[in-house]
Amino acid sequence: MINIIPAILAKTSEEFEKLFRTVEPHVDRVHLDVCDGDFVPTKTISGYEELVKIETKVKFDVHLMVSRPEDQMYFWYKTKADRFLIHAETDRGHRNLIGQIHLNGRQVGLVLNPETRAEKIVEFLDDIDFVQFMTVNPGFYGSEFMESVIGKISEFHNQYPSMPIFVDGGVNPETARRLAAIGVTTFVVGSYVLDSENVGKAIEELRSISNNE
Ligand code: DX5
Ligand code: ZN
């Protein structure tokens, strides 16, 4: 089963609300990009202030592109977000953080930047729910897909075939088709969906292409 999850990277609450309401009718889950201006150069909304207030049936994945995710989890547990994506590069006690997220009834995945080797997360694979591969440098919307990550994803899937794989960055129908063929199950998509004139049609197009593999 292939999943298409629209990504929202917003610098103001108004921008978040506008983008969210654009995709809301078409999906049951949204990926919220959170950037702290330190782990990545970009700075977005905190995200938890917006999610604590929002009324919707849609579920949220939270992609924490922040240097100290452990410092903000307290606020996230007050929201309805039920899956968290933590970067492998920020490790200051991932084992504790993963355990704590599970104790709070949420799922957690580890994220690898394009240049980070999969070996970095092997010790956590029995404890996490999914792995996300970045196919762009994190923090920016609309970057070009990095072909160089394909080999790493394919090798990982061959070694750990039961681990769900997400890909984030530069996904469009052409890259999605190739990624589905090497075992990717979940696609996080920003600009291809949000910059399109017909958001519902762009999501359907990705779903149908990916499912044909
Ligand atoms: C990148 C973010 C992505 C991004 C995807 O730093 O994690 O979720 O918004 O955007 P596109 O699909 O435009 O690369
Ligand atoms: Zn993301």
Side-chain angles (χ1 to χ4, degrees):
M1 182 60 196
I2 293 291
N3 306 298
I4 305 296
I5 309 183
I8 295 184
L9 192 153
K11 298 203 168 145
T12 63
S13 299
E14 295 69 34
E15 188 186 9
F16 164 73
E17 178 82 18
K18 181 169 164 272
L19 294 172
F20 176 70
R21 298 301 177 197
T22 308
V23 296
E24 186 185 24
H26 308 288
V27 291
D28 56 16
R29 182 175 289 279
V30 160
H31 171 107
L32 180 62
D33 284 313
V34 179
C35 305
D36 65 353
D38 183 50
F39 180 69
V40 289
T42 324
K43 193 159 168 48
T44 62
I45 53 168
S46 78
Y48 48 78
E49 290 165 56
E50 287 72 19
L51 288 206
V52 88
K53 289 187 280 204
I54 199 156
E55 286 184 26
T56 179
K57 288 199 172 65
V58 168
K59 297 186 170 116
F60 286 91
D61 283 1
V62 178
H63 180 187
L64 291 168
M65 289 172 272
V66 303
S67 296
R68 301 187 64 89
E70 64 278 14
D71 291 354
Q72 48 179 269
M73 295 314 297
Y74 167 82
F75 300 103
W76 286 109
Y77 299 141
K78 295 179 189 295
T79 73
K80 69 201 289 293
D82 64 346
R83 298 201 309 202
F84 293 93
L85 296 134
I86 309 287
H87 271 264
E89 302 81 13
T90 64
D91 191 3
R92 264 187 310 276
H94 273 153
R95 188 139 345 251
N96 283 346
L97 185 55
I98 291 163
Q100 184 212 75
I101 292 173
H102 283 147
L103 274 176
N104 280 276
R106 272 73 168 198
Q107 292 194 341
V108 56
L110 286 174
V111 186
L112 294 164
N113 276 343
E115 74 285 359
T116 305
R117 293 161 60 94
E119 284 73 14
K120 184 145 178 93
I121 58 165
V122 166
E123 63 174 305
F124 303 111
L125 290 180
D126 287 339
D127 300 325
I128 60 177
D129 301 287
F130 46 86
V131 173
Q132 175 167 297
F133 289 88
M134 296 307 299
T135 41
V136 295
N137 285 320
F140 307 94
Y141 182 70
S143 306
E144 199 176 330
F145 181 81
M146 291 167 78
E147 295 288 334
S148 56
V149 189
I150 290 212
K152 178 170 68 170
I153 299 172
S154 176
E155 200 178 309
F156 182 86
H157 179 63
N158 289 337
Q159 267 185 294
Y160 308 102
S162 59
M163 179 57 70
I165 299 179
F166 296 17
V167 166
D168 185 0
V171 174
N172 59 36
E174 190 265 328
T175 53
R177 187 182 293 116
R178 289 193 285 137
L179 290 163
I182 59 164
V184 178
T185 52
T186 297
F187 297 93
V188 177
V189 196
S191 50
Y192 186 78
V193 165
L194 287 161
D195 292 350
S196 91
E197 279 179 17
N198 187 330
V199 165
K201 202 168 145 211
I203 293 172
E204 275 315 314
E205 187 188 5
L206 285 162
R207 281 185 184 134
S208 66
I209 283 170
S210 306
N211 279 329
N212 287 340
E213 295 302 324

